[in-house]
PDB file of all heavy atoms in Angstrom:
ATOM      1  N   GLN A  89      19.102  24.296 -24.661  1.00  0.00           N
ATOM      2  CA  GLN A  89      20.382  24.769 -24.139  1.00  0.00           C
ATOM      3  C   GLN A  89      21.228  23.562 -23.730  1.00  0.00           C
ATOM      4  O   GLN A  89      21.069  23.019 -22.633  1.00  0.00           O
ATOM      5  CB  GLN A  89      20.178  25.691 -22.930  1.00  0.00           C
ATOM      6  CG  GLN A  89      21.478  26.362 -22.470  1.00  0.00           C
ATOM      7  CD  GLN A  89      21.279  27.118 -21.170  1.00  0.00           C
ATOM      8  OE1 GLN A  89      21.051  26.518 -20.132  1.00  0.00           O
ATOM      9  NE2 GLN A  89      21.384  28.441 -21.240  1.00  0.00           N
ATOM     10  N   PRO A  90      22.137  23.132 -24.584  1.00  0.00           N
ATOM     11  CA  PRO A  90      22.956  21.943 -24.304  1.00  0.00           C
ATOM     12  C   PRO A  90      23.703  22.014 -22.968  1.00  0.00           C
ATOM     13  O   PRO A  90      23.961  20.980 -22.355  1.00  0.00           O
ATOM     14  CB  PRO A  90      23.936  21.910 -25.485  1.00  0.00           C
ATOM     15  CG  PRO A  90      23.202  22.602 -26.594  1.00  0.00           C
ATOM     16  CD  PRO A  90      22.421  23.690 -25.920  1.00  0.00           C
ATOM     17  N   LEU A  91      24.016  23.213 -22.518  1.00  0.00           N
ATOM     18  CA  LEU A  91      24.738  23.359 -21.257  1.00  0.00           C
ATOM     19  C   LEU A  91      23.934  22.820 -20.074  1.00  0.00           C
ATOM     20  O   LEU A  91      24.501  22.452 -19.039  1.00  0.00           O
ATOM     21  CB  LEU A  91      25.086  24.834 -21.022  1.00  0.00           C
ATOM     22  CG  LEU A  91      26.041  25.151 -19.866  1.00  0.00           C
ATOM     23  CD1 LEU A  91      27.404  24.510 -20.103  1.00  0.00           C
ATOM     24  CD2 LEU A  91      26.184  26.662 -19.703  1.00  0.00           C
ATOM     25  N   ALA A  92      22.622  22.743 -20.224  1.00  0.00           N
ATOM     26  CA  ALA A  92      21.765  22.236 -19.148  1.00  0.00           C
ATOM     27  C   ALA A  92      22.018  20.758 -18.860  1.00  0.00           C
ATOM     28  O   ALA A  92      21.568  20.238 -17.835  1.00  0.00           O
ATOM     29  CB  ALA A  92      20.295  22.454 -19.500  1.00  0.00           C
ATOM     30  N   VAL A  93      22.735  20.106 -19.758  1.00  0.00           N
ATOM     31  CA  VAL A  93      23.097  18.702 -19.523  1.00  0.00           C
ATOM     32  C   VAL A  93      23.987  18.579 -18.287  1.00  0.00           C
ATOM     33  O   VAL A  93      23.941  17.565 -17.579  1.00  0.00           O
ATOM     34  CB  VAL A  93      23.811  18.116 -20.760  1.00  0.00           C
ATOM     35  CG1 VAL A  93      24.403  16.736 -20.450  1.00  0.00           C
ATOM     36  CG2 VAL A  93      22.840  18.016 -21.929  1.00  0.00           C
ATOM     37  N   LEU A  94      24.791  19.605 -18.002  1.00  0.00           N
ATOM     38  CA  LEU A  94      25.739  19.533 -16.887  1.00  0.00           C
ATOM     39  C   LEU A  94      25.041  19.448 -15.525  1.00  0.00           C
ATOM     40  O   LEU A  94      25.322  18.534 -14.748  1.00  0.00           O
ATOM     41  CB  LEU A  94      26.703  20.720 -16.953  1.00  0.00           C
ATOM     42  CG  LEU A  94      27.595  20.776 -18.202  1.00  0.00           C
ATOM     43  CD1 LEU A  94      28.502  22.003 -18.158  1.00  0.00           C
ATOM     44  CD2 LEU A  94      28.413  19.506 -18.330  1.00  0.00           C
ATOM     45  N   PRO A  95      24.127  20.380 -15.195  1.00  0.00           N
ATOM     46  CA  PRO A  95      23.404  20.204 -13.923  1.00  0.00           C
ATOM     47  C   PRO A  95      22.547  18.946 -13.921  1.00  0.00           C
ATOM     48  O   PRO A  95      22.340  18.328 -12.869  1.00  0.00           O
ATOM     49  CB  PRO A  95      22.555  21.470 -13.805  1.00  0.00           C
ATOM     50  CG  PRO A  95      22.457  22.020 -15.172  1.00  0.00           C
ATOM     51  CD  PRO A  95      23.737  21.649 -15.846  1.00  0.00           C
ATOM     52  N   LEU A  96      22.055  18.553 -15.094  1.00  0.00           N
ATOM     53  CA  LEU A  96      21.269  17.329 -15.207  1.00  0.00           C
ATOM     54  C   LEU A  96      22.095  16.116 -14.795  1.00  0.00           C
ATOM     55  O   LEU A  96      21.661  15.298 -13.965  1.00  0.00           O
ATOM     56  CB  LEU A  96      20.771  17.161 -16.645  1.00  0.00           C
ATOM     57  CG  LEU A  96      20.165  15.795 -17.008  1.00  0.00           C
ATOM     58  CD1 LEU A  96      18.901  15.543 -16.201  1.00  0.00           C
ATOM     59  CD2 LEU A  96      19.882  15.719 -18.500  1.00  0.00           C
ATOM     60  N   LEU A  97      23.307  16.000 -15.344  1.00  0.00           N
ATOM     61  CA  LEU A  97      24.156  14.849 -15.041  1.00  0.00           C
ATOM     62  C   LEU A  97      24.611  14.864 -13.585  1.00  0.00           C
ATOM     63  O   LEU A  97      24.658  13.811 -12.929  1.00  0.00           O
ATOM     64  CB  LEU A  97      25.368  14.838 -15.980  1.00  0.00           C
ATOM     65  CG  LEU A  97      25.066  14.573 -17.462  1.00  0.00           C
ATOM     66  CD1 LEU A  97      26.348  14.654 -18.288  1.00  0.00           C
ATOM     67  CD2 LEU A  97      24.390  13.221 -17.642  1.00  0.00           C
ATOM     68  N   ALA A  98      24.959  16.056 -13.083  1.00  0.00           N
ATOM     69  CA  ALA A  98      25.412  16.151 -11.692  1.00  0.00           C
ATOM     70  C   ALA A  98      24.292  15.766 -10.729  1.00  0.00           C
ATOM     71  O   ALA A  98      24.507  14.998  -9.779  1.00  0.00           O
ATOM     72  CB  ALA A  98      25.904  17.566 -11.397  1.00  0.00           C
ATOM     73  N   LEU A  99      23.084  16.282 -10.977  1.00  0.00           N
ATOM     74  CA  LEU A  99      21.961  15.961 -10.106  1.00  0.00           C
ATOM     75  C   LEU A  99      21.574  14.492 -10.238  1.00  0.00           C
ATOM     76  O   LEU A  99      21.202  13.845  -9.250  1.00  0.00           O
ATOM     77  CB  LEU A  99      20.769  16.864 -10.441  1.00  0.00           C
ATOM     78  CG  LEU A  99      19.546  16.749  -9.518  1.00  0.00           C
ATOM     79  CD1 LEU A  99      19.927  17.102  -8.076  1.00  0.00           C
ATOM     80  CD2 LEU A  99      18.419  17.657 -10.001  1.00  0.00           C
ATOM     81  N   ALA A 100      21.667  13.951 -11.453  1.00  0.00           N
ATOM     82  CA  ALA A 100      21.358  12.536 -11.663  1.00  0.00           C
ATOM     83  C   ALA A 100      22.354  11.652 -10.903  1.00  0.00           C
ATOM     84  O   ALA A 100      21.969  10.646 -10.297  1.00  0.00           O
ATOM     85  CB  ALA A 100      21.390  12.208 -13.156  1.00  0.00           C
ATOM     86  N   PHE A 101      23.634  12.026 -10.931  1.00  0.00           N
ATOM     87  CA  PHE A 101      24.653  11.268 -10.199  1.00  0.00           C
ATOM     88  C   PHE A 101      24.355  11.292  -8.706  1.00  0.00           C
ATOM     89  O   PHE A 101      24.423  10.261  -8.031  1.00  0.00           O
ATOM     90  CB  PHE A 101      26.031  11.867 -10.474  1.00  0.00           C
ATOM     91  CG  PHE A 101      27.151  11.166  -9.743  1.00  0.00           C
ATOM     92  CD1 PHE A 101      27.695   9.994 -10.241  1.00  0.00           C
ATOM     93  CD2 PHE A 101      27.654  11.679  -8.557  1.00  0.00           C
ATOM     94  CE1 PHE A 101      28.721   9.341  -9.568  1.00  0.00           C
ATOM     95  CE2 PHE A 101      28.670  11.040  -7.879  1.00  0.00           C
ATOM     96  CZ  PHE A 101      29.203   9.862  -8.382  1.00  0.00           C
TER      97      PHE A 101
END
Side-chain angles (χ1 to χ4, degrees):
Q89 188 188 68
L91 190 62
V93 170
L94 297 180
L96 168 64
L97 293 177
L99 186 60
F101 179 82

